[in-house]
Amino acid sequence: MKLLLPPVAKGLPKARPDSTKKWVTYFCICILSLDFYFVSAQKNTTDSLLRVLKIAVEDTSKVNTLNSLSRLKARIGNYDPAIQYAQQALQLSEKILYKKGIATAYNNIGIVYWNKGNFDKALDVDFKSLKIRQETGDKRGIANSYNNIGLIYWNQGNYEMALDNLLKSQKIWEEIKDKNGLGMSFLNIGNIYLDQGNYDKALEFYSKSLQINIETGNKSLEATNLNNIGIIYENKNNLEKALGNHLKALKIREEIKDKKGIAMSYNNIGLIYYEQSNYEKALDNQLKSQKINKEIGDKQGAAVSFNNIGNIYAKQKKFDDAFHYINMSLDICKSIGF
């Protein structure tokens, strides 16, 4: 990818070379931070959960419903109600001394902080969740917390701590024979290798994860793996295979109405078209990505899209437009410490 600002244009930027893959793999935490304790409740619609909430008494069932609503809202990018439901769950859990509910509420709050780009707060609440889960012996919860903590360290460029926590997570998933969790760990370990430029090793772990996702019917992780495999092929300069994988990922994300994932796929598809010098399609996809980022309040995503739009205009020698969009990206980055 040869943009004016290579490290920034392709993904979540960091002050080091070849950080451009981050935008693609960054999506993993939104999907993978799911607390499997309540995963069955996610099959219900928001309306049905709200009906349950209306008649629920102040007990663990109400906490579970609030946490499930929080997760459902977060998955579709409605972060304000997501954090409100999680905070209600936290308050009620503390009132009735329901430790598992407290840990899950912290987990859900961490998801929202992560998606809003506040990694320090996300790490803080994930450590709180981990401590409670260790006290109660909740192995699934512990594995999930290690996963989340590892992903935050990864985003911060601390690969040693990231891999340490992800391997702890993987070990527990294998111990309790949880295929969903194992697929998650393979995916995230693949992310580490991708970010370090070890494409063959990354592809090995993504392929393992993808196979498990297909077996278990986990559409969210299937889309994420296809997305990241697309990035590997892009880095190997096989743009047709890269585009094919991104389009498959987009189709799945549209089916499951994953707005954040859809925005990310449009971004990545736009980048492929940019590399193919098809600037009209590149701009169209980046604008679609930006529109969704605005809808869901994803400031990081907005910063990336604005930067990529600016680079497209720069390539077309429309420098006033280029400066406008890149400066918009810069302003957002400064405002969120990105």
Side-chain angles (χ1 to χ4, degrees), residues 63 85-97 102 105:
V63 171
Y85 283 126
Q87 287 171 340
Q88 289 177 40
L90 178 60
Q91 291 170 3
L92 179 56
S93 295
E94 289 174 337
K95 179 181 177 181
I96 63 176
L97 304 178
I102 294 171

Side-chain angles (χ1 to χ4, degrees), residues 30-45 49 63-65 67-72 75 98 100 104 107-108 111 133 138 140-141 144 173 178-181 184 216-221:
C30 180
I31 295 296
L32 304 182
S33 293
L34 301 181
D35 184 339
F36 293 109
Y37 180 71
F38 293 112
V39 77
S40 62
Q42 293 178 14
K43 297 177 182 178
N44 299 323
T45 65
L49 287 170
V63 171
N64 295 353
T65 302
N67 275 320
S68 294
L69 281 165
S70 174
R71 180 166 303 105
L72 285 171
R75 282 176 66 88
Y98 181 33
K100 186 163 281 189
T104 303
N107 179 81
N108 291 342
I111 293 172
R133 287 164 166 172
D138 178 6
R140 276 190 171 81
N144 186 69
W173 295 129
D178 188 307
K179 281 193 172 183
N180 275 308
M184 175 173 64
T216 60
N218 192 323
K219 293 292 186 179
S220 293
L221 296 193

